[in-house]
């Protein structure tokens, strides 16, 4: 009996293999790439998160804006970029270490944090894009990717009425983060800029105090 089973075993295995001959394994090329499967499981894995936060920045008037008569510019005649006031900006996180602050007309919120900076005098990181200048003989030149050399933090949200003066913004930052912290100004730059240049985007470290 045992010898009979041993004789039939090879034939049984051959029959099973033959019956599976119509089932062709899926070639590796037809399967979903492993990276796609991983993205389905964890879409954010390995990708730096980008968040956008509004905040108040003090719009400083461009330097050297004095009329030829020596009387200066009246508030009514001063263009928008010459006004000294709190403006809404958008700060975008860039990876885990940097913030980019866009000063170009963010939507005006009812409340927003005061964007505060310190005077840490940090060196310009290699991840910050190169400084770019656009000069004009008829209006202030503009600069993008201006490095502030500072760390950045957000205060608790406040209404625009709470930052009608720069001093109010300074008090908010100092009260929440301590001495040396102040409201970010549009002309806060560690880069050497031509006189009267208007910064459009500022960069700072993301490190929170």
């Amino acid at each position: 009996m045992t010898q009979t089973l041993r004789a039939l075993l090879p034939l049984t295995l051959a029959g099973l293999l033959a019956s599976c001959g119509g089932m062709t394994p899926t070639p590796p090329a037809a399967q979903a790439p492993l990276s796609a499967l991983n993205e389905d499981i964890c879409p954010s894995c390995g990708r730096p998160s980008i968040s956008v936060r509004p905040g108040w920045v003090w719009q400083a008037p461009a330097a050297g804006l004095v009329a030829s008569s020596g009387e200066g510019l009246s508030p009514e005649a001063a263009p928008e970029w010459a006004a000294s006031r709190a403006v809404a900006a958008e700060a975008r996180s860039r990876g885990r270490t940097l913030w980019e602050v866009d000063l170009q007309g963010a939507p005006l919120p009812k409340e927003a944090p005061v964007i505060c900076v310190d005077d840490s005098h940090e060196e310009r990181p290699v991840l910050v894009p190169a400084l770019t200048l656009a000069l004009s003989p008829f209006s202030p030149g503009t600069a993008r990717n201006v490095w502030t050399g500072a760390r950045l933090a957000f205060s608790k949200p406040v209404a625009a009425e709470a930052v009608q003066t720069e001093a109010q913004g300074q008090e908010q930052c100092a009260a929440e983060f301590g001495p040396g912290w102040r409201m970010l100004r549009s002309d806060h730059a560690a880069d050497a800029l031509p006189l009267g240049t208007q910064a459009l985007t500022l960069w700072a470290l993301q490190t929170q105090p």
Side-chain angles (χ1 to χ4, degrees):
M1 182 69 176
T2 304
Q3 293 178 350
T4 303
L5 290 175
R6 288 178 180 175
L8 291 175
L9 183 60
L11 297 175
T12 305
L13 290 175
L16 289 173
L17 292 174
S19 66
C20 295
M23 298 176 60
T24 305
T26 303
Q31 295 178 350
L34 184 59
S35 59
L37 294 175
N38 289 338
E39 289 178 4
D40 290 340
I41 298 171
C42 182
S44 63
C45 291
R47 300 179 180 180
S49 60
I50 296 179
S51 60
V52 179
R53 298 190 62 181
W56 301 116
V57 173
W58 192 255
Q59 177 69 58
L65 296 179
V66 181
S68 58
S69 63
E71 297 177 357
L73 295 172
S74 66
E76 295 78 13
E80 183 179 352
W81 41 259
S84 182
R85 69 196 191 286
V87 296
E90 285 186 347
R92 295 178 177 87
S93 66
R94 299 299 185 184
R96 296 183 177 90
T97 58
L98 294 169
W99 283 101
E100 180 188 13
V101 182
D102 190 342
L103 304 173
Q104 302 174 83
L108 187 64
K110 292 183 179 179
E111 289 189 342
V114 179
I115 299 181
C116 305
V117 291
D118 66 354
D119 289 319
S120 52
H121 303 290
E122 300 287 345
E123 294 292 331
R124 185 186 187 94
V126 295
L127 295 178
V128 176
L131 174 69
T132 58
L133 298 173
L135 304 180
S136 170
F138 305 108
S139 62
T142 59
R144 293 180 179 274
N145 304 322
V146 177
W147 174 240
T148 62
R151 295 182 299 161
L152 185 148
F154 297 87
S155 77
K156 64 182 181 183
V158 298
E161 291 75 17
V163 284
Q164 290 298 298
T165 66
E166 187 178 6
Q168 289 177 311
Q170 312 289 39
E171 292 174 2
Q172 188 76 32
C173 293
E176 292 197 37
F177 304 116
W181 286 86
R182 53 196 174 113
M183 186 178 189
L184 176 63
R185 287 172 55 104
S186 61
D187 59 355
H188 190 127
D191 295 325
L193 302 176
L195 184 65
T197 301
Q198 179 189 13
L200 300 181
T201 58
L202 301 171
W203 288 75
L205 288 178
Q206 191 174 357
T207 307
Q208 295 286 353

